[in-house]
Amino acid sequence: MPELRKDPVLGRWVIISTERARRPDEYVLPKEEKKAPKSCPFCPGNEDKTPPEILAYRQDGTPANSPGWNLRVVANKFPALTIHGDVKREAYGIYDKMNGVGAHEVIIETPDHNEEQPDFSLEKMNDVLWAYRERIIDLKKDPRFHYVLIFKNRGYAAGASLQHAHSQVIALPIVPKRALEELAGAKAYYDYRERCVFCDIVRQEIDEQNRLITANERFISICPFASRFPFEITILPRTHSSSFEESNPEEIKSLAAILSDTLKRLDKVLVSPPYNYLLHTAPVRAGNISHYHWHCEIIPTLARVAGFEWGSGFYINPTTPEDAAKYLRENKVGE
Amino acid sequence: MPELRKDPVLGRWVIISTERARRPDEYVLPKEEKKAPKSCPFCPGNEDKTPPEILAYRQDGTPANSPGWNLRVVANKFPALTIHGDVKREAYGIYDKMNGVGAHEVIIETPDHNEEQPDFSLEKMNDVLWAYRERIIDLKKDPRFHYVLIFKNRGYAAGASLQHAHSQVIALPIVPKRALEELAGAKAYYDYRERCVFCDIVRQEIDEQNRLITANERFISICPFASRFPFEITILPRTHSSSFEESNPEEIKSLAAILSDTLKRLDKVLVSPPYNYLLHTAPVRAGNISHYHWHCEIIPTLARVAGFEWGSGFYINPTTPEDAAKYLRENKVGE
């Protein structure tokens, strides 16, 4: 019998449809062809094909905007928002608009064109996460920005226009709708129960075990109870904290370890699927709040979708999170 | 300069990104291959391959579940929800769940395997919309159901698993999140201004003309001001009404005409794109309400997307709705 489940933060119901159950091999997509790297603007030697670097982790003594880097952050050459100007909000008849002020940056995660995130060394993964932290802290200083979104698209089907491993940073003059919804849902829970809903999720998932993929001393990786998509994953810190960027070096290291472990399992079970991940963190001006708890969401691009889901806010998931977690739990890479 | 625009109902901001502007021909996808119809469960002669019909429009004297029909409604063979049983809500630790009671039906729109909705005669399109109306009215009688979702997926990329033209009906024991959000946003607008936000949209779009695709005596077809996707379309009745199923035969006829006209333009400009459409109507137990106004949303599947959008609720649209509307306005089929 299918089951309807409610997301405890967003209040969104999803159908976990057992009638349509699908095993991981039914989701495997044809392998994406790797193109020759000679024309890639993210490869070493092509530094002049990107805007100048904003941040780089480099080998000692190498000059900016030249080879010798391990990681590089540059402005997006085709930015969705422009960095110059003041934020101007105005009415347009009954509508509201604002000029498109914001930052749009690219984090080039590795000089190696063919290396993908699940194959990164722990040190390299740590560098990527540390760069996220540095960019958020820097962009927070700009009083025009209210939210910094960090996300990664891996693979063409997941929206990546270049194959060379990279993440994106968008600083916005508004707080996006999903963040507002999470904050409101978590606040309502906190007001009623005087506990953080995410802390409660961490406790129940550790107790129950059956949606747990893996865990370390500081984080857990789970398939969420009301997963919209097959093999949807959430990574949560065990200890309450509302802002990712307040993580200390030990915490970042621990996150690099669990993210790396999780992505390797996903690559093994679903044969290198396209995926997106994004950081859900508090708005930059929110301060440290008791009811919100930052987390990381990973969504493999498996299903063809669907304006239907966008239009209705309603999801049918043909793989239970318990089954997905079991596959991922049993497929540790290196065992 | 890019522009941020706010949806007046949902409060969602989108970036209309002029830096990345794309023309319609850049969205055209490779043509989907049509498969031979001999194995299609929706073709005449194969009536025994579907569950028995719930409703059919047939030539006089032809028996149920045999050829001779123009349109047929059957239960989905692989339903996401089951029709039997009472709705039981319960706690599961901190979570909430419910058994998956609901209806999931398929409307087979035509006996002709190769005919697609944009090519339907007005009479055939009218039959499809009338069947939507009949199914909603019938499903409303069941006290377990609180919402009836009507939607269509056209093309593989838009989620259709069978090519033969069909729509789907899902009756739910809950009101889905997007409907609740629209109701809440529209209510807040109404409480403040004492006017329906959708009636205000209709007035502004008719005055302004530049997002208007086409209009007839009862409906307008527009690209919405804060479009998330290129060539996103909304069809709204000019006169206030909260429930689609209360439309009279003249109104349904008029909707068939504008929907058909709009889909033909879309097929011409984007060369038969995959698309989804869905009806946004009030919950079945809401009665006739002053602040909500039913409408139809059409979303062509053009962009590869993206857990990013699902995860963040944040959209970057590379084609302005004014440009999209201009292309569609200037490409009337039959002129």
Side-chain angles (χ1 to χ4, degrees):
Chain A
M1 176 122 183
E3 193 168 273
L4 282 153
R5 296 187 180 185
K6 188 181 178 181
D7 183 285
V9 183
L10 296 168
R12 168 181 62 204
W13 288 91
V14 301
I15 299 180
I16 307 293
S17 167
T18 44
E19 293 298 303
R20 301 177 156 207
R22 287 170 70 184
R23 290 155 27 87
D25 55 3
E26 297 180 67
Y27 291 117
V28 173
L29 292 170
K31 191 94 189 142
E32 232 177 84
E33 210 186 316
K34 277 269 177 194
K35 287 190 201 116
K38 66 171 177 176
S39 63
C40 173
F42 294 170
C43 275
N46 293 344
E47 287 78 4
D48 60 338
K49 290 190 182 153
T50 65
E53 59 200 43
I54 295 163
L55 171 73
Y57 301 156
R58 322 189 129 265
Q59 290 143 41
D60 288 346
T62 55
N65 302 308
S66 73
W69 49 275
N70 298 322
L71 176 147
R72 217 172 156 243
V73 183
V74 299
N76 191 311
K77 204 168 177 176
F78 305 100
L81 294 158
T82 47
I83 194 75
H84 301 293
D86 292 327
V87 177
K88 290 179 198 119
R89 292 178 78 135
E90 58 182 303
Y92 181 74
I94 62 159
Y95 302 122
D96 291 272
K97 64 179 190 173
M98 199 191 298
N99 54 345
V101 170
H104 191 175
E105 304 175 356
V106 175
I107 296 174
I108 307 166
E109 299 165 4
T110 169
D112 182 344
H113 184 84
N114 291 308
E115 194 182 28
E116 301 216 51
Q117 222 180 43
D119 309 317
F120 283 6
S121 67
L122 277 188
E123 198 191 342
K124 186 167 280 191
M125 187 62 98
N126 194 70
D127 277 357
V128 171
L129 298 174
W130 196 256
Y132 294 169
R133 184 182 178 279
E134 283 206 78
R135 291 313 303 142
I136 297 177
I137 289 171
D138 189 43
L139 288 162
K140 257 178 121 151
K141 293 177 196 152
D142 190 320
R144 299 171 303 168
F145 301 150
H146 290 266
Y147 201 83
V148 184
L149 264 177
I150 304 265
F151 64 101
K152 174 176 172 74
N153 302 335
R154 185 252 197 133
Y156 182 82
S161 44
L162 290 166
Q163 288 187 323
H164 194 125
H166 65 284
S167 314
Q168 297 184 62
V169 183
I170 295 185
L172 295 165
I174 47 107
V175 180
K177 184 170 163 62
R178 175 56 42 84
L180 289 175
E181 286 172 2
E182 281 197 354
L183 287 158
K187 179 77 164 47
Y189 189 99
Y190 192 87
D191 285 347
Y192 183 65
R193 308 201 194 221
E194 300 183 52
R195 294 193 307 269
C196 163
V197 59
F198 297 97
C199 290
D200 272 7
I201 291 171
V202 170
R203 264 186 295 269
Q204 180 160 343
E205 297 304 338
I206 292 172
D207 279 356
E208 239 193 277
Q209 297 278 328
N210 62 342
R211 282 174 300 276
L212 197 67
I213 300 164
T214 182
N216 65 19
E217 71 285 15
R218 292 191 175 83
F219 291 91
I220 66 166
S221 177
I222 61 166
C223 292
F225 176 75
S227 291
R228 290 156 296 171
F229 306 108
F231 293 88
E232 184 180 330
I233 296 169
T234 308
I235 296 178
L236 295 130
R238 288 172 182 255
T239 309
H240 187 82
S241 164
S242 59
S243 302
F244 161 78
E245 70 274 17
E246 296 191 0
S247 305
N248 64 34
E250 283 309 306
E251 287 161 340
I252 293 287
K253 211 166 157 181
S254 196
L255 177 63
I258 199 163
L259 179 58
S260 184
D261 179 9
T262 302
L263 292 175
K264 280 181 207 295
R265 291 170 192 259
L266 197 63
D267 254 26
K268 186 174 171 197
V269 172
L270 295 167
V271 195
S272 307
Y275 62 76
N276 304 97
Y277 72 68
L278 52 152
L279 284 181
H280 292 258
T281 183
V284 294
R285 319 246 160 268
N288 204 341
I289 45 183
S290 309
H291 61 274
Y292 193 72
H293 191 125
W294 75 266
H295 54 285
C296 170
E297 183 176 31
I298 306 172
I299 304 174
T301 311
L302 304 176
R304 294 158 296 145
V305 215
F308 167 62
E309 281 80 359
W310 290 319
S312 68
F314 189 70
Y315 298 86
I316 300 172
N317 181 352
T319 300
T320 70
E322 291 76 15
D323 281 351
K326 187 166 183 288
Y327 283 114
L328 294 166
R329 195 164 53 236
E330 291 173 354
N331 279 282
K332 179 161 172 64
V333 176
E335 267 186 353
Chain B
M1 176 122 184
E3 194 169 274
L4 282 154
R5 296 187 182 185
K6 189 181 178 182
D7 183 285
V9 182
L10 295 168
R12 166 182 64 206
W13 288 91
V14 301
I15 299 180
I16 307 292
S17 167
T18 44
E19 293 299 302
R20 302 176 155 208
R22 288 171 71 186
R23 292 155 26 87
D25 54 4
E26 295 179 67
Y27 291 117
V28 174
L29 293 170
K31 190 93 190 142
E32 231 175 86
E33 211 187 315
K34 277 269 176 195
K35 284 185 203 126
K38 66 172 175 175
S39 64
C40 174
F42 294 170
C43 276
N46 292 343
E47 287 77 6
D48 59 339
K49 290 189 183 153
T50 64
E53 60 200 41
I54 295 163
L55 171 74
Y57 301 157
R58 323 189 129 262
Q59 290 144 41
D60 288 344
T62 56
N65 303 307
S66 73
W69 49 273
N70 299 320
L71 177 147
R72 227 177 146 233
V73 183
V74 299
N76 193 310
K77 203 167 177 177
F78 305 99
L81 294 158
T82 48
I83 195 73
H84 301 292
D86 292 327
V87 177
K88 290 178 199 118
R89 293 178 79 135
E90 58 182 306
Y92 181 73
I94 62 159
Y95 302 122
D96 291 272
K97 65 178 188 173
M98 201 190 299
N99 55 342
V101 170
H104 191 175
E105 304 174 357
V106 176
I107 296 174
I108 308 167
E109 300 165 2
T110 169
D112 182 345
H113 184 84
N114 291 307
E115 194 182 28
E116 300 215 52
Q117 223 181 43
D119 309 316
F120 283 6
S121 67
L122 277 187
E123 199 191 340
K124 187 168 279 192
M125 187 63 98
N126 194 71
D127 276 357
V128 172
L129 299 175
W130 197 257
Y132 294 169
R133 183 181 178 279
E134 283 205 78
R135 292 311 305 142
I136 297 177
I137 290 173
D138 188 43
L139 288 162
K140 255 177 121 151
K141 293 177 195 152
D142 191 320
R144 298 170 304 168
F145 302 150
H146 289 266
Y147 200 84
V148 183
L149 265 177
I150 303 266
F151 65 100
K152 177 178 170 72
N153 303 334
R154 186 254 196 131
Y156 183 82
S161 44
L162 289 165
Q163 288 186 324
H164 195 127
H166 66 284
S167 315
Q168 296 184 64
V169 183
I170 295 186
L172 294 165
I174 49 107
V175 180
K177 184 170 162 66
R178 174 56 43 81
L180 289 175
E181 286 172 4
E182 281 197 354
L183 287 158
K187 180 73 164 49
Y189 189 98
Y190 192 88
D191 285 347
Y192 184 65
R193 305 200 196 223
E194 300 182 52
R195 293 193 309 269
C196 163
V197 59
F198 297 97
C199 290
D200 272 7
I201 291 171
V202 170
R203 265 186 295 269
Q204 180 160 345
E205 296 304 336
I206 292 172
D207 279 357
E208 238 194 276
Q209 297 277 328
N210 62 343
R211 282 176 299 276
L212 197 67
I213 300 163
T214 182
N216 64 20
E217 70 284 15
R218 293 192 175 81
F219 292 90
I220 66 167
S221 177
I222 61 167
C223 292
F225 176 75
S227 291
R228 290 155 296 171
F229 306 108
F231 293 89
E232 183 180 332
I233 295 168
T234 308
I235 296 178
L236 294 129
R238 288 174 183 251
T239 309
H240 186 82
S241 164
S242 58
S243 302
F244 162 78
E245 69 273 17
E246 297 193 357
S247 306
N248 64 36
E250 283 310 306
E251 287 161 340
I252 293 288
K253 210 165 155 181
S254 197
L255 176 63
I258 199 164
L259 179 58
S260 183
D261 179 9
T262 301
L263 292 175
K264 279 180 206 294
R265 292 169 192 261
L266 196 63
D267 254 27
K268 186 175 172 193
V269 171
L270 295 168
V271 196
S272 307
Y275 63 76
N276 303 97
Y277 72 69
L278 50 152
L279 284 181
H280 293 257
T281 185
V284 295
R285 319 243 160 270
N288 204 340
I289 45 183
S290 307
H291 61 274
Y292 192 73
H293 191 125
W294 76 265
H295 55 285
C296 170
E297 184 176 31
I298 305 171
I299 305 172
T301 312
L302 304 176
R304 293 160 295 147
V305 215
F308 168 62
E309 281 81 1
W310 290 319
S312 68
F314 190 71
Y315 297 85
I316 300 172
N317 180 354
T319 300
T320 70
E322 290 77 14
D323 281 351
K326 187 166 184 289
Y327 282 114
L328 294 167
R329 196 163 53 234
E330 291 172 353
N331 280 282
K332 181 163 172 58
V333 175
E335 266 185 356

